[in-house]
Amino acid sequence: MIQKLAVSLRLKIGIGEIVMANNACRKLPVGIQSFNVIREEGYLYVDKTDMVWKLANQGLKYNYLSRPRRFGKSVLVDTLQAYFEGRKELFEGLKIMELEKEWKQYPVIRFDMSRGGATANEVKAYLDRTFDVYEQLYGIHIKPTDSLGNRFDLIIKTAYEQTGLKVAILIDEYDSPLQHSWKTPEHEGCTEVYRSVFSILKADDAYQRFVFITGITKFTQISLFSVLNNLTNISFLPEYAAICGITEEEIGENFKPELERMAEVNEWTLQQTHDNLKDYYDGYHFSRRNMVDIYNPFSLLNALDAQDLSCFWVSSGATSMLPKFVDNMELRLRNFENCPILRKTLESSDVINGGAELFLYQTGYLTIKSSDEFGYFLGFPNQEVKQALYEVVLPSLTMKSESDIISLQGSLFRQLGTGQIADTMKTLKALVADVPYSNKKLASMDMEERYRLIISTILNAIGLKVEVEHMLATGRIDIIAQTSRYIYVIELKLKNNGGKKAAIQQILDNKYLEPFQADKRKVIGLGIELDEEGKGLLDWGITEEPQIRNL
């Protein structure tokens, strides 16, 4: 990566390719989803136009791409629109100029279904407004009795007849109304509108040059999938794995000044800056045949712009749909660290029937970690996502309101980060108090397992790197929690199973601290004594080997 960062930086800005000497002039397209705005107003653009050309010219006619929210789908759709409209001036200096020779001006019909609301009437109103724009463009006069489907059909045919060229149809965020209406009385009405309108796509095949549909979740029962049986799902194809998001190579080619500035501001080395960004925002994989690492572009650009690490993607509302699609999340998160899923389920199933793992993959909370002949293994892509999910479930697991635990979380993070063990244990005791006994959802677990789940969830939710049941040749560590200055090796024991003394002795006897001695951070063994009736934490002791201290 460092070698890649050393390459000379060439920026594609405006309508030409310019080598920028003054880094202060660089503008990052934070939150901008318009290719036109990015190019016309001089924002940095990571060049994906070679893949855009290949998709438009060497792919099939009907295409579907699934990617998580805020992953660049709308910029991609906007780029396709500009290409099909023949706006050559926007592409000067980009890779596509070596590939495209004709620059025809095709008619384009575009939908942004994220504006379609969450009810059948709202979807109809959005389609009515959209069709009205195209009817005025092509001089189409409709009858009061014309249905939305008939109007769509007439727009496609008229566009073809007036231009002599087939139509490009772009449908962005097709599933937005379906997601928001799911598990409400409005859902069936929304799907009926989709069936009646978009079934026209198959009927008007002869007039269409290209159809491209983006979404997050896949609802197969609507016409886009049931009627368009020749729709190609390009979401898993190796050649399009990096069509959205930002790769390691693209970071080195495009963001060296921002990386250097971020390193300077935070007093990190360039390598530390890269490693921190990678830890927080990288780790997505979208094709088993092309496991290139993909960074979340929204979070990466925000971090480079703010010169700080934060949960940008989650703060933008990414978790709002979780309760609709995943039940009992607080009990199931531990199963998502390395969970198997059939290839057919991941690549072909409907989100409604595909299970929690499929929804979490499609929405960006899980990603492909590996694959073999039996299917995929999924896991959390990065620290940002993992922390966000644990934060979401913490109130329901601890049976406390979000407002009640916010200050305790802040205190715990600071105490662990600065090695204030006595205060740490007091705060942790307040968070855990009575939860293993009172939370009836935990009843199927043995008592020590309940404590392990609660404590590891708390530590994950405050942003620590956490491993549960870490295997060594000498034994299995209950919890490892890492901060920037400390590594905590935690062993849990019920009072009637020896309590804190047995926990500390197990850390010493099994040499649990030894694997971390080469680390520059301070390593602390922490033995925690638990109430066997589930009433909370009773006592604790620490070892920095060979010394043992009681607090």
Side-chain angles (χ1 to χ4, degrees):
M1 174 65 188
I2 295 300
Q3 290 179 341
K4 290 179 180 177
L5 292 176
V7 299
S8 61
L9 181 69
R10 298 184 66 82
L11 294 178
K12 280 81 172 179
I13 294 181
I15 61 172
E17 183 174 333
I18 305 171
V19 180
M20 299 294 291
N22 183 358
N23 293 336
C25 295
R26 294 164 59 90
K27 298 198 298 183
L28 299 181
V30 176
I32 297 177
Q33 302 183 63
S34 168
F35 175 73
N36 297 359
V37 170
I38 291 171
R39 298 295 288 163
E40 290 174 344
E41 298 187 13
Y43 288 91
L44 188 150
Y45 174 67
V46 176
D47 192 352
K48 305 278 189 180
T49 58
D50 54 336
M51 284 184 275
V52 169
W53 186 89
K54 182 175 183 178
L55 177 62
N57 292 278
Q58 296 182 349
L60 299 176
K61 180 184 288 188
Y62 297 95
N63 300 276
Y64 169 70
L65 176 70
S66 171
R67 287 293 185 268
R69 68 187 300 277
R70 299 281 189 164
F71 230 85
K73 299 186 298 297
S74 295
V75 174
L76 174 60
V77 170
D78 215 51
T79 308
L80 282 164
Q81 180 174 356
Y83 167 70
F84 279 114
E85 290 177 345
R87 300 192 62 183
K88 182 179 179 180
E89 73 280 1
L90 294 176
F91 295 89
E92 291 293 339
L94 301 183
K95 296 174 184 177
I96 200 171
M97 296 302 293
E98 299 176 5
L99 301 169
E100 181 58 52
K101 306 302 179 185
E102 296 183 336
W103 291 101
K104 293 182 180 179
Q105 296 181 352
Y106 293 94
V108 176
I109 301 172
R110 178 176 175 176
F111 302 89
D112 178 2
M113 297 308 299
S114 67
R115 302 179 181 181
T119 70
N121 286 337
E122 288 172 338
V123 174
K124 289 177 182 178
Y126 167 72
L127 293 172
D128 177 65
R129 295 192 302 271
T130 302
F131 291 158
D132 184 64
V133 171
Y134 289 109
E135 286 159 353
Q136 291 185 46
L137 176 65
Y138 295 113
I140 298 172
H141 299 285
I142 62 170
K143 301 175 184 177
T145 56
D146 283 339
S147 67
L148 288 170
N150 288 340
R151 292 170 66 185
F152 190 24
D153 174 56
L154 188 57
I155 290 168
I156 294 171
K157 291 177 178 176
T158 303
Y160 171 73
E161 292 168 357
Q162 289 187 11
T163 63
L165 293 171
K166 293 184 178 182
V167 180
I169 298 174
L170 310 174
I171 306 173
D172 194 17
E173 302 287 5
Y174 92 92
D175 57 332
S176 181
L178 302 173
Q179 272 198 43
H180 286 90
S181 64
W182 174 238
K183 290 190 176 179
T184 76
E186 293 290 342
H187 187 72
E188 181 55 37
C190 287
T191 59
E192 184 55 40
V193 175
Y194 273 70
R195 292 189 192 101
S196 64
V197 173
F198 293 114
S199 60
I200 298 301
L201 290 172
K202 185 173 183 179
D204 285 354
D205 175 79
Y207 309 102
Q208 295 161 25
R209 161 72 169 80
F210 181 78
V211 175
F212 186 66
I213 301 165
T214 77
I216 299 173
T217 49
K218 191 175 181 183
F219 291 86
T220 57
Q221 81 275 25
I222 66 168
S223 62
L224 289 176
F225 294 97
S226 61
V227 176
L228 287 179
N229 50 19
N230 54 351
L231 185 66
T232 301
N233 185 356
I234 69 169
S235 307
F236 297 89
L237 296 184
E239 58 266 42
Y240 300 120
I243 198 167
C244 292
I246 298 174
T247 67
E248 292 272 12
E249 183 178 4
E250 289 167 340
I251 290 176
E253 292 174 345
N254 292 277
F255 299 105
K256 183 183 176 184
E258 285 73 25
L259 289 167
E260 291 175 337
R261 189 166 68 248
M262 189 172 188
E264 181 181 359
V265 167
N266 292 281
E267 298 182 344
W268 297 333
T269 66
L270 201 58
Q271 182 67 58
Q272 287 172 326
T273 304
H274 162 260
D275 292 347
N276 288 334
L277 288 168
K278 185 176 183 65
D279 185 47
Y280 262 75
Y281 309 123
D282 191 22
Y284 285 96
H285 307 108
F286 298 109
S287 172
R288 63 185 174 86
R289 291 180 288 163
N290 183 4
M291 289 287 285
V292 59
D293 281 350
I294 307 293
Y295 285 73
N296 180 318
F298 180 81
S299 292
L300 178 65
L301 289 174
N302 272 280
L304 291 173
D305 188 60
Q307 297 153 36
D308 194 14
L309 301 174
S310 186
C311 296
F312 297 104
W313 183 66
V314 176
S315 298
S316 68
T319 59
S320 60
M321 290 290 110
L322 283 173
K324 281 192 174 186
F325 292 90
V326 185
D327 296 325
N328 297 321
M329 173 77 82
E330 68 271 25
L331 305 184
R332 304 174 66 181
L333 268 183
R334 58 190 176 142
N335 301 325
F336 298 143
E337 292 277 4
N338 191 35
C339 62
I341 188 170
L342 293 172
R343 185 175 299 167
K344 180 180 178 182
T345 301
L346 194 69
E347 296 181 3
S348 306
S349 295
D350 188 297
V351 68
I352 295 174
N353 301 314
E357 292 84 359
L358 178 62
F359 172 80
L360 291 170
Y361 170 79
Q362 291 179 347
T363 49
Y365 301 104
L366 299 179
T367 195
I368 297 169
K369 290 294 186 179
S370 63
S371 66
D372 56 24
E373 61 184 300
F374 305 107
Y376 291 101
F377 281 96
L378 305 181
F380 300 122
N382 52 52
Q383 188 67 18
E384 178 188 32
V385 170
K386 186 175 181 180
Q387 180 181 349
L389 285 177
Y390 278 96
E391 276 192 298
V392 167
V393 305
L394 190 57
S396 57
L397 186 64
T398 59
M399 303 180 68
K400 295 176 175 65
S401 68
E402 188 173 345
S403 60
D404 287 339
I405 62 177
I406 284 179
S407 61
L408 290 173
Q409 284 181 269
S411 297
L412 186 62
F413 183 69
R414 176 173 294 277
Q415 291 157 0
L416 283 166
T418 55
Q420 301 175 55
I421 308 299
D423 290 336
T424 291
M425 298 313 297
K426 292 175 183 176
T427 303
L428 191 58
K429 188 174 184 178
L431 283 165
V432 177
D434 203 40
V435 175
Y437 173 79
S438 302
N439 191 328
K440 301 307 179 185
K441 287 185 178 182
L442 305 178
S444 62
M445 304 178 190
D446 67 53
M447 192 59 69
E448 194 170 301
E449 186 181 6
R450 298 183 203 185
Y451 281 109
R452 188 163 51 239
L453 172 63
I454 296 162
I455 292 171
S456 63
T457 299
I458 292 168
L459 298 177
N460 270 302
I462 63 174
L464 303 192
K465 291 184 180 180
V466 179
E467 291 182 74
V468 177
E469 297 188 288
H470 178 82
M471 293 298 298
L472 297 177
T474 56
R476 183 174 60 190
I477 301 172
D478 278 334
I479 300 172
I480 300 170
Q482 301 182 48
T483 74
S484 60
R485 303 179 191 176
Y486 294 88
I487 298 175
Y488 295 94
V489 177
I490 303 171
E491 192 65 29
L492 309 175
K493 291 289 183 185
L494 297 174
K495 182 179 180 180
N496 62 5
N497 193 27
K500 69 175 183 181
K501 290 184 179 180
I504 289 293
Q505 198 61 50
Q506 183 169 329
I507 292 173
L508 294 172
D509 290 346
N510 294 349
K511 302 184 185 303
Y512 284 169
L513 305 189
E514 282 192 4
F516 310 100
Q517 293 303 317
D519 198 288
K520 294 180 180 179
R521 291 170 291 181
K522 189 172 184 178
V523 184
I524 294 177
L526 179 58
I528 300 179
E529 183 172 307
L530 311 168
D531 178 64
E532 60 264 31
E533 300 297 326
K535 296 299 183 180
L537 278 57
L538 297 179
D539 204 354
W540 47 84
I542 68 170
T543 175
E544 298 170 26
E545 199 172 14
Q547 297 85 14
I548 301 176
R549 290 193 286 130
N550 295 324
L551 300 178

